[in-house]
Amino acid sequence: MKHWVDSVLSYTEDTEDIMPMIMFAATHRDQCKGNTAKIKEQFIKDINQMFSEHENKNHIHLDTVYFINGIDKNDTEIQRMTDQVVVFAMQQSSWGQRRPMQWVPLELQISNMRLKNINIISKEDIRNVNNLNDDLALNERQLEDFLIVQHSLGKVMYYSLPGLDNFIIIHPPALVNILRSFVTDKIFFPADKTLKSILKNLTKTGKIYKGDLLKLWQQDNLHQYMPDDDIKEFVVQLLIHLDILIIPKTQQKTIVNHVYLVPCMIKAFRPAYFVSLDGHQKKTTICMQYYLDRNSIPTALAYKVIGAILNAWPLKYEKKHLCLYHKAALLTVSDDIELRIWIEDNRIVVYMTHEKSLIAISPDVAASVQECLTKNLDLSLLFHYNSFGRKIKPTKVSELYRIEFGIPCGRSVCYVSSQEVSKIETWECLNGKKHDTRYLRNWVFNKDRETCGPECKGLNDIELKTEPDDKHLVRLGSQIGIKSFGEFFINLGMKRKDWESTEYTYAGHSSEGIMSMALKQWKKFKISKLETPTLQNLSDALTAVNLDRHVICQVDFNDLIYLTTINKPNIVDS
Ligand SMILES: Nc1nc2c(ncn2[C@@H]2O[C@H](COP(=O)(O)OP(=O)(O)OP(=O)(O)O)[C@@H](O)[C@H]2O)c(=O)[nH]1
Ligand SMILES: [Zn+2]
Ligand SMILES: [Zn+2]
């Protein structure tokens, strides 16, 4: 019960809003032998003992445990419970909020459709219905706003994204029932032999073929939600968007479209070798962990994180099996680098192992893996918070966890905080051993890093034609000293007074910040002249002022890895 309450309330923020609210009810009062009043009293005592000190106790109704008889339509206790639900409903922040008069007819039409057991409809259908309302009909823009607001209130599900915006789930519980067709427990597996074996296989391998999924959806109770192929395809796309179904990455870089991974269904536990490294691996592994500021990582978040990671690197294929386990995965970053990731309590643990030696791990690879994982975690956290209706600013996300870097030591791993790593050369651990931070620093992109080796020929023509994004500009700002920047800026075709006024406007900011703001202005300036700003422009200006043009390689290199590792950055919606 504690776990369940914690899960429901795990992302409740400290606000005035009382939702979600938990009430306790016990059924089968009619079958209760003995003094029900006394039992009820005991139950109330129990829940108070359990939750009266809970950090979110304003979301727990501790006054009573409703003792109901679920098979009696006129049960007075059910009536009392219903009344209390209404009281809570009226305390919701959205209660009594004014809404446009024009919405009323369409809201009524949608609720009528629900009564007729219609669950998912096409945008076209809703347009047609809307058009019946003559002068109260919404125009396209208003219809879009209407759907987005209805989504945010939880009344419908509508994603205004290409590929998802052609259908609206007007009865969201339908999606829950669709999910239950494959995210379910053994005791609910269908009796049909074929279907049962599909699900059995899914729990063993974490994999389901699209054809098999569609077979499950042919069952009558699911067919009613998804009566045609277009709707089914929409639901598949939606589940992919929500990272419930994952299209596996393969090392061959070809996307196999007919099979999906379902991280939340895999029951196979990670094997022993996953955590305990062998003697050689201990010498060729660097570790990292994210500590969340929570007692535990909610299951939904854990699967979201694993799902996002599966979008970034291919799973290792070993003994004819994909190495995907319950809240754990073994991935291949390159031919000789493996990544082990698992989730335990409030931690996400990452081991990066090179086949041969630590020196062979390129700092750029380690740093970009770290940046990619961190970005994925940020997006997953944002998604999770926003799904729970607790808006959080993207800039606040990184305050929800801390990062530690570690090195295998004896039978465990010794960790040091990510801030410490750049400040110290060595540290002594609790086992009295001295650990070197040299390789751990590879987890972080080193902006002070010297330049490329003699073998570097600079970026190729295609790379030079790319338009620098903000990240490039920020990094470039941090690579050039502010003294030489003025000249550099002028060589980009800007005026000295532009630079001076930027310096003045952003006085008080870090010099890197000021330089990147100036570069953004340059970008805007180019675009206003209908020219494309390119890395080539930046490279030329560097050469003109005798700065090392390889600075551009440093700025860009990390990003190229980025592009190949993150193929799906838009996993957040509100
Ligand atoms: N005698 C008696 N039977 C009840 C009572 N409440 C529910 N039942 C019966 O218990 C069985 C299970 O009820 P459900 O409503 O399906 O229980 P549930 O926990 O919601 O089940 P899921 O929806 O599968 O999670 C049904 O046969 C109900 O008729 C009650 O208060 N007294
Ligand atoms: Zn140690
Ligand atoms: Zn170079």
Side-chain angles (χ1 to χ4, degrees):
M1 201 143 92
K2 254 188 128 108
H3 173 79
W4 186 78
V5 167
D6 283 341
S7 312
V8 173
L9 298 179
S10 59
Y11 277 87
T12 334
E13 297 305 301
D14 210 5
T15 62
E16 296 285 290
D17 194 358
I18 58 152
M19 288 298 167
M21 174 58 81
I22 297 177
M23 298 162 69
F24 296 95
T27 60
H28 293 76
R29 189 191 67 230
D30 51 311
Q31 298 199 345
C32 225
K33 298 194 180 78
N35 186 340
T36 43
K38 239 187 170 157
I39 302 175
K40 181 170 173 174
E41 213 172 279
Q42 186 58 44
F43 276 19
I44 298 172
K45 225 164 129 190
D46 288 349
I47 59 162
N48 272 280
Q49 219 164 38
M50 236 182 261
F51 298 113
S52 57
E53 302 294 320
H54 197 281
E55 56 174 347
N56 296 116
K57 69 165 186 291
N58 55 326
H59 293 279
I60 310 172
H61 187 56
L62 291 173
D63 294 5
T64 191
V65 173
Y66 294 97
F67 249 48
I68 62 175
N69 175 1
I71 51 174
D72 175 8
K73 257 195 264 172
N74 304 315
D75 188 43
T76 49
E77 188 83 342
I78 293 186
Q79 194 48 54
R80 264 199 290 276
M81 184 168 78
T82 322
D83 294 344
Q84 186 60 47
V85 170
V86 173
V87 169
F88 286 137
M90 286 165 61
Q91 291 173 13
Q92 279 185 96
S93 51
S94 58
W95 184 271
Q97 249 175 31
R98 300 180 69 88
R99 61 187 198 284
M101 189 40 199
Q102 247 190 318
W103 287 7
V104 176
L106 196 53
E107 277 182 359
L108 287 176
Q109 285 153 328
I110 291 178
S111 83
N112 274 334
M113 288 191 253
R114 279 187 205 117
L115 289 177
K116 286 188 205 142
N117 274 328
I118 300 171
N119 297 283
I120 304 177
I121 61 166
S122 69
K123 187 90 162 275
E124 199 48 44
D125 285 343
I126 217 157
R127 275 195 200 104
N128 293 339
V129 170
N130 172 52
N131 286 339
L132 299 176
N133 298 328
D134 299 327
D135 50 339
L136 276 181
L138 307 175
N139 66 28
E140 192 65 23
R141 179 72 212 283
Q142 292 168 327
L143 183 62
E144 193 73 13
D145 288 346
F146 169 83
L147 290 172
I148 289 168
V149 173
Q150 296 284 315
H151 173 106
S152 74
L153 294 173
K155 290 189 178 173
V156 309
M157 286 179 84
Y158 171 69
Y159 292 86
S160 179
L161 293 169
L164 296 176
D165 59 354
N166 277 328
F167 287 93
I168 299 108
I169 302 181
I170 57 169
H171 184 55
L175 190 66
V176 177
N177 289 329
I178 293 170
L179 268 179
R180 295 210 309 205
S181 67
F182 65 99
V183 178
T184 179
D185 194 81
K186 208 163 82 194
I187 55 169
F188 302 114
F189 284 2
D192 181 283
K193 254 196 186 149
T194 324
L195 300 183
K196 193 181 252 172
S197 80
I198 292 172
L199 291 170
K200 243 186 179 161
N201 208 29
L202 174 60
T203 53
K204 246 196 316 199
T205 62
K207 231 170 37 174
I208 189 163
Y209 287 92
K210 187 170 180 181
D212 286 344
L213 186 63
L214 294 177
K215 263 184 215 157
L216 288 168
W217 288 356
Q218 272 163 15
Q219 297 172 87
D220 288 341
N221 58 339
L222 289 146
H223 191 76
Q224 59 164 326
Y225 299 118
M226 300 173 285
D228 67 55
D229 289 352
D230 287 344
I231 295 187
K232 283 181 182 143
E233 192 52 39
F234 157 74
V235 174
V236 167
Q237 293 310 319
L238 179 60
L239 295 176
I240 292 172
H241 173 72
L242 297 174
D243 276 346
I244 292 165
L245 296 177
I246 312 278
I247 300 175
K249 271 210 133 171
T250 64
Q251 270 160 296
Q252 294 81 41
K253 298 211 163 90
T254 46
I255 291 178
V256 188
N257 216 346
H258 54 271
V259 60
Y260 305 112
L261 299 172
V262 190
C264 62
M265 266 304 277
I266 184 144
K267 298 287 179 280
F269 199 70
R270 52 171 200 258
Y273 75 79
F274 205 90
V275 182
S276 46
L277 303 166
D278 67 31
H280 174 67
Q281 286 171 327
K282 277 182 189 158
K283 294 197 202 96
T284 63
T285 299
I286 49 174
C287 313
M288 173 167 78
Q289 62 182 3
Y290 297 89
Y291 253 102
L292 266 75
D293 198 12
R294 292 275 163 182
N295 293 328
S296 66
I297 296 181
T299 314
L301 177 61
Y303 293 133
K304 182 81 190 164
V305 168
I306 293 283
I309 288 165
L310 297 181
N311 280 317
W313 298 282
L315 278 169
K316 187 171 179 187
Y317 197 68
E318 205 173 53
K319 295 181 193 137
K320 291 192 177 166
H321 282 293
L322 286 172
C323 300
L324 177 63
Y325 310 100
H326 181 66
K327 296 187 192 174
L330 175 54
L331 310 133
T332 346
V333 174
S334 66
D335 288 344
D336 36 26
I337 299 180
E338 276 177 14
L339 206 57
R340 262 157 249 246
I341 298 177
W342 72 95
I343 295 171
E344 202 169 287
D345 305 327
N346 62 336
R347 296 177 301 143
I348 300 165
V349 190
V350 182
Y351 285 5
M352 178 188 263
T353 307
H354 192 281
E355 209 175 37
K356 296 205 183 68
S357 70
L358 276 184
I359 313 173
I361 299 184
S362 141
D364 288 309
V365 170
S368 64
V369 165
Q370 180 273 119
E371 284 197 11
C372 183
L373 285 169
T374 304
K375 193 168 170 167
N376 271 339
L377 178 62
D378 287 352
L379 293 176
S380 301
L381 283 166
L382 258 183
F383 178 88
H384 193 80
Y385 271 63
N386 289 337
S387 313
F388 281 71
R390 315 283 143 197
K391 296 285 176 235
I392 174 169
K393 287 208 189 94
T395 47
K396 292 275 175 201
V397 174
S398 63
E399 290 167 19
L400 300 174
Y401 58 84
R402 60 174 203 272
I403 304 178
E404 294 185 339
F405 299 138
I407 223 159
C409 173
R411 302 179 77 188
S412 71
V413 172
C414 291
Y415 285 99
V416 61
S417 86
S418 58
Q419 286 99 358
E420 279 299 285
V421 156
S422 54
K423 291 185 205 141
I424 53 172
E425 298 275 313
T426 58
W427 87 97
E428 196 179 298
C429 75
L430 292 173
N431 305 333
K433 278 196 191 148
K434 217 170 178 187
H435 294 301
D436 201 328
T437 57
R438 184 155 61 125
Y439 294 112
L440 297 187
R441 267 177 266 156
N442 289 349
W443 280 123
V444 201
F445 182 66
N446 183 0
K447 59 181 181 185
D448 302 325
R449 186 158 37 102
E450 294 288 315
T451 173
C452 316
E455 75 288 350
C456 180
K457 296 194 181 66
L459 300 184
N460 65 33
D461 289 350
I462 298 174
E463 286 162 346
L464 283 169
K465 277 192 194 124
T466 20
E467 186 174 327
D469 60 19
D470 288 356
K471 208 162 39 198
H472 287 123
L473 300 182
V474 170
R475 284 189 187 147
L476 188 64
S478 69
Q479 299 261 334
I480 304 177
I482 193 144
K483 284 212 185 86
S484 350
F485 188 83
E487 283 306 307
F488 168 72
F489 195 57
I490 291 161
N491 272 288
L492 283 171
M494 304 295 283
K495 301 231 162 57
R496 183 170 302 276
K497 75 168 175 23
D498 296 333
W499 168 232
E500 280 164 4
S501 77
T502 310
E503 253 189 314
Y504 178 78
T505 312
Y506 294 99
H509 288 73
S510 68
S511 53
E512 283 130 23
I514 302 174
M515 289 186 282
S516 61
M517 288 320 290
L519 288 170
K520 277 190 202 173
Q521 277 177 16
W522 161 72
K523 215 176 126 173
K524 266 200 199 140
F525 171 73
K526 287 286 268 189
I527 294 169
S528 74
K529 289 201 308 174
L530 299 177
E531 290 172 21
T532 315
T534 61
L535 289 178
Q536 177 84 57
N537 301 145
L538 296 170
S539 174
D540 292 346
L542 284 170
T543 318
V545 292
N546 288 325
L547 282 170
D548 185 3
R549 72 183 168 96
H550 287 278
V551 165
I552 295 288
C553 316
Q554 308 290 323
V555 164
D556 197 51
F557 181 58
N558 220 31
D559 253 51
L560 293 177
I561 298 179
Y562 244 106
L563 293 177
T564 54
T565 49
I566 300 188
N567 71 334
K568 204 179 152 211
N570 59 337
I571 57 168
V572 172
D573 26 63
S574 45

